[in-house]
Amino acid sequence: MSDRNIYLKTVPVPEAVRLAKEALDRDELIRSELVPTHRAPGRVTAAPIYAKCSSPTFHSAAMDGIAVYSRKTFTAREGQAVELRLGTDYVPVNTGNALPEGTDAVIMIENVVQIDEHTVSIEAPAFPWQHVRKIGEDIVATEMLLPQNHTITPFDVGALLSAGIYDIKVWEKVQMTFIPTGDEILPFRDRPVPCPGEVIESNSQVFSALARGLAVEYQCTLPVRDREELLMKAIDLALDESHIVVVGAGSSAGSKDFTRRVFEKMGTVLTHGIAIMPGKPTLLAIAKGKLLVGAPGYPVSAVVCFEDVLTPIISWLSGKPAPKKGQIDVRLARRTPSKPGMEEVIRLAIGEVNDGYVGVPLARGAGMITTLTKAQGIARVPADSEGIEQGESVKVELFSPRESLSRVLMHVGSHDNTIDLLANALMGMGEQLKLVSTHAGSMGGLTALKDGNALFAGCHLFDPESGDFNFPFLEKYLPGEKVAVINLAIRHQGLIIAKGNPKKINGVKDLPREDVIFINRQRGAGTRILLDHHLKEGGINPRSIRGYDREEYTHMAVAANVLTGAADCGLGIHAAAKALDLGFAPLARERYDLIIPERHLEDPRIKTLLNLISSEGIKERINSLGGYETTLTGQFMEAGMGLGD
């Protein structure tokens, strides 16, 4: 136990950021440099910039026409034209031409009547400086164009060059080095196939992309093994080249997590542990006047470390305001409890439903990077809160523009591989739609529709008494709700088993065996209901099945358990078994339908979805997955239709 770290005191994120800013001497750390103006967009001015010349540098014509002496035109009236002689009274000019000496106005060509080669007439007077860009109209030499700490835009470049500024003084970019650590880490550049206990290193590249968004000069070292002397050497080299050195992993409380000890030997630890989840193990220190960061190893925790801690520090060092994410109010589709005493970041799948925004909380594990790929934003549960109630409105920080949410199809319900197929097809259309799917089981989908938290739900509930699918449950759980039921596919359910079936598992009768470990689906899932029906028919007590209480939320997760040996079998669809090259013992055919409230049928997103489902192309792709029949695909179903046989 003595080798383990202890979080002496977690501090709020703003406090951690403040401590870092106070410990860093920005003026000493970040120097200025001279860069060519045309390469300066995105850079920050290190001093005010003053114009060297005016723009324009001469009086110029702002229109095509004739340059005139305005005093010679004052008597012109409609019906009382004034004639002007070439060279004496007027000179032809084009837009941008210098005004001939003595002239002080331009008359547009369309207001000029050509009488002969040398004479024109006009019927309206020209006032002084009409249609003329005077010297310094835009920029006057010596005036300040830009203040210090201004971020250069593409438009600024035009103004600077027009003012004769060809080089400008800007703050140097923040330099960051990322050092991955761990005996289990494999360099991604080697394209490795990990063995048990090995992990492909990826956090460095997440940080790289985030750093580029802040205009940081970023580099990453090769992974450093869990040796204190190796880490010290790597950090020492990085400090000579960078303003910020990030050590990936090693900041937690494990016996091999010695980043804190190394930081203490090399400098001063500012804080170890921040009051936010995920992200708690974040470690900050100062060495050689530079910032040392111990970033958590779990990917979501690492992202929170970058976004909440590093981003404001980097922005401050760069002379820029910290970027602000767009915010909207979102109604939470599911109660989300939280532990008081620490702020928690909740990832949400968000879509526009019933003229409002609905957010479905995603899995909360700090190691689940895919929750960030599926999320459209995050909500923050305050440290003094015990969570957010279902239906409660929360502020959400968006990952993408608010307008994009109107092109999200919110699905809550049973998982099926065909939903992923639809999601890919919708993103391949000219007008792309993003299908966001939350795997809550068939019953969870019906609940979401009842509460107005989804546009549609995937459902495959079998009723033994009627022999029908879904309709008996709709009558019971969605009374009075007018819905359309559209078939997506008939699918084959069965036991997913190891390739070659080494344990000779052929049906539910084999599940109670002592040598068989089962993996189940969650309560409320149609697959779970189907299993319980067959167990009841076979007179099998669920308690006699090893693993009956172990739950997964998708067919692919069940298949993955079998593939890795965590389970010998689990009930799922044939397509999941085929995808992972596993065995399959058929049990039943069932109807997988999409339940859509009738009020959504005119929604352009739903119309696009239904057109896709009815296409021959999508039917071919469904059939190619294996274990599906598309004889009913795209049809509006009615009670009693069963499997249509």
Side-chain angles (χ1 to χ4, degrees):
M1 292 296 292
S2 60
D3 291 334
R4 293 181 178 270
N5 295 304
I6 300 174
Y7 298 114
L8 297 179
K9 181 184 178 183
T10 58
V11 301
V13 171
E15 175 72 3
V17 172
R18 183 187 66 80
L19 289 171
K21 288 180 178 180
E22 289 180 353
L24 294 168
D25 186 339
R26 180 172 61 177
D27 293 336
E28 180 65 26
L29 193 61
I30 306 295
R31 305 300 177 89
S32 65
E33 61 182 359
L34 206 62
V35 301
T37 297
H38 65 284
R39 294 180 179 174
R43 303 299 296 272
V44 178
T45 57
I49 301 176
Y50 297 91
K52 289 184 178 179
C53 58
S54 299
S55 178
T57 57
F58 52 87
H59 299 320
S60 64
M63 296 285 179
D64 296 337
I66 60 173
V68 299
Y69 305 91
S70 60
R71 67 181 183 279
K72 295 185 177 182
T73 69
F74 290 163
T75 59
R77 297 288 186 276
E78 186 175 352
Q80 297 181 10
V82 170
E83 292 186 358
L84 303 173
R85 296 286 295 173
L86 177 65
T88 303
D89 303 318
Y90 81 91
V91 177
V93 291
N94 293 321
T95 302
N97 287 165
L99 223 60
E101 186 175 354
T103 61
D104 63 352
V106 172
I107 299 174
M108 292 188 296
I109 191 65
E110 50 263 47
N111 295 329
V112 176
V113 176
Q114 192 78 41
I115 296 176
D116 57 36
E117 187 177 348
H118 301 287
T119 309
V120 299
S121 70
I122 57 172
E123 291 191 336
F127 55 84
W129 307 112
Q130 170 181 289
H131 303 316
V132 174
R133 293 191 66 216
K134 293 185 288 185
I135 293 174
E137 178 185 80
D138 189 11
I139 300 170
V140 177
T142 75
E143 75 171 319
M144 188 179 76
L145 287 179
L146 301 173
Q148 63 177 329
N149 293 329
H150 172 86
T151 303
I152 303 294
T153 70
F155 317 114
D156 294 332
V157 171
L160 290 166
L161 292 176
S162 297
I165 309 296
Y166 305 114
D167 298 287
I168 60 173
K169 186 181 289 188
V170 297
W171 295 119
E172 65 176 322
K173 291 185 177 182
V174 173
Q175 313 285 322
M176 177 186 290
T177 297
F178 189 99
I179 305 174
T181 68
D183 292 338
E184 75 283 9
I185 296 299
L186 302 175
F188 75 93
R189 290 184 178 87
D190 294 344
R191 304 192 176 195
V193 177
C195 297
E198 294 179 332
V199 178
I200 301 171
E201 196 282 313
S202 61
N203 282 354
S204 67
Q205 299 314 297
V206 176
F207 269 51
S208 175
L210 292 170
R212 284 197 301 272
L214 298 176
V216 170
E217 290 285 353
Y218 180 93
Q219 62 178 342
C220 174
T221 72
L222 290 172
V224 174
R225 298 301 175 192
D226 287 325
R227 306 291 184 274
E228 187 172 328
E229 66 278 6
L230 295 179
L231 181 57
M232 290 185 70
K233 182 178 179 181
I235 292 174
D236 193 53
L237 289 173
L239 284 171
D240 291 337
E241 301 177 354
S242 302
H243 305 116
I244 300 174
V245 176
V246 181
V247 176
S251 64
S252 295
S255 58
K256 288 189 176 183
D257 293 328
F258 45 72
T259 301
R260 175 180 176 139
R261 187 160 66 244
V262 170
F263 283 8
E264 286 175 333
K265 290 181 178 181
M266 302 186 72
T268 302
V269 172
L270 303 176
T271 180
H272 186 192
I274 55 176
I276 191 170
M277 292 291 287
K280 177 183 175 182
T282 297
L283 171 64
L284 298 179
I286 297 293
K288 296 184 179 181
K290 313 288 185 67
L291 181 66
L292 292 178
V293 181
Y298 280 133
V300 181
S301 288
V303 169
V304 171
C305 168
F306 191 101
E307 295 274 40
D308 283 30
V309 179
L310 280 179
T311 293
I313 295 173
I314 291 169
S315 300
W316 171 73
L317 287 174
S318 303
K320 297 179 180 180
K324 295 287 186 182
K325 290 186 172 70
Q327 289 193 343
I328 60 170
D329 292 319
V330 171
R331 187 176 74 254
L332 210 64
R334 189 169 65 238
R335 182 178 181 273
T336 304
S338 184
K339 183 180 179 181
M342 189 168 293
E343 181 183 359
E344 184 173 7
V345 176
I346 305 296
R347 290 140 271 169
L348 299 173
I350 304 167
E352 189 175 356
V353 182
N354 296 330
D355 299 323
Y357 297 107
V358 172
V360 179
L362 299 170
R364 295 157 82 171
M368 303 180 71
I369 189 67
T370 55
T371 58
L372 289 175
T373 68
K374 296 174 182 177
Q376 282 72 52
I378 60 169
R380 296 177 182 271
V381 183
D384 59 356
S385 172
E386 293 185 355
I388 307 172
E389 295 299 322
Q390 179 178 339
E392 185 177 345
S393 182
V394 295
K395 287 287 183 186
V396 168
E397 301 168 24
L398 293 175
F399 294 158
S400 53
R402 177 175 182 164
E403 294 74 23
S404 65
L405 299 181
S406 64
R407 303 202 62 76
V408 170
L409 271 163
M410 180 67 78
H411 167 261
V412 179
S414 173
H415 169 257
D416 190 84
N417 290 16
T418 54
I419 293 292
D420 297 333
L421 190 152
L422 292 178
N424 183 63
L426 289 166
M427 285 298 289
M429 294 184 165
E431 293 292 330
Q432 297 173 342
L433 290 177
K434 184 178 181 66
L435 196 161
V436 172
S437 182
T438 299
H439 310 314
S442 294
M443 293 302 299
L446 297 186
T447 300
L449 293 181
K450 180 180 179 181
D451 296 335
N453 292 331
L455 287 176
F456 69 106
C459 195
H460 60 103
L461 295 167
F462 175 66
D463 177 48
E465 292 186 11
S466 64
D468 200 6
F469 292 89
N470 298 323
F471 282 96
F473 296 87
L474 297 177
E475 294 171 3
K476 182 176 181 180
Y477 295 103
L478 292 178
E481 179 76 55
K482 293 183 178 180
V483 298
V485 179
I486 298 94
N487 179 251
L488 183 54
I490 295 171
R491 64 185 192 177
H492 299 175
Q493 286 260 38
L495 292 175
I496 299 174
I497 52 182
K499 188 174 183 179
N501 197 9
K503 290 199 173 181
K504 307 302 180 186
I505 301 170
N506 298 308
V508 295
K509 67 181 187 303
D510 295 313
L511 298 185
R513 284 167 32 191
E514 281 295 321
D515 64 332
V516 172
I517 299 175
F518 185 72
I519 185 72
N520 210 347
R521 287 293 305 280
Q522 80 276 20
R523 291 173 179 81
T527 298
R528 174 77 164 256
I529 293 172
L530 177 67
L531 171 70
D532 290 343
H533 165 66
H534 281 272
L535 293 179
K536 184 177 180 181
E537 277 196 336
I540 299 172
N541 186 339
R543 294 181 180 177
S544 66
I545 300 173
R546 296 176 63 196
Y548 180 86
D549 294 328
R550 293 173 56 214
E551 298 179 348
E552 287 288 0
Y553 283 78
T554 69
H555 296 281
M556 292 304 295
V558 170
N561 273 266
V562 176
L563 179 68
T564 59
D568 297 311
C569 65
L571 192 61
I573 56 174
H574 182 236
K578 181 183 176 183
L580 296 186
D581 195 25
L582 295 168
F584 185 76
L587 180 65
R589 294 163 67 231
E590 64 177 12
R591 212 177 68 210
Y592 184 88
D593 296 332
L594 302 183
I595 316 301
I596 306 173
E598 288 188 359
R599 64 182 180 277
H600 294 325
L601 290 178
E602 293 304 311
D603 188 307
R605 295 168 293 178
I606 293 296
K607 285 185 174 181
T608 300
L609 175 68
L610 295 182
N611 287 336
L612 175 63
I613 294 171
S614 299
S615 69
E616 290 302 316
I618 205 69
K619 293 176 185 178
E620 291 176 5
R621 278 177 269 178
I622 290 174
N623 285 324
S624 70
L625 294 175
Y628 291 100
E629 302 169 33
T630 55
T631 52
L632 298 177
T633 298
Q635 293 188 32
F636 281 70
M637 309 305 295
E638 295 180 3
M641 292 179 68
L643 294 171
D645 295 337

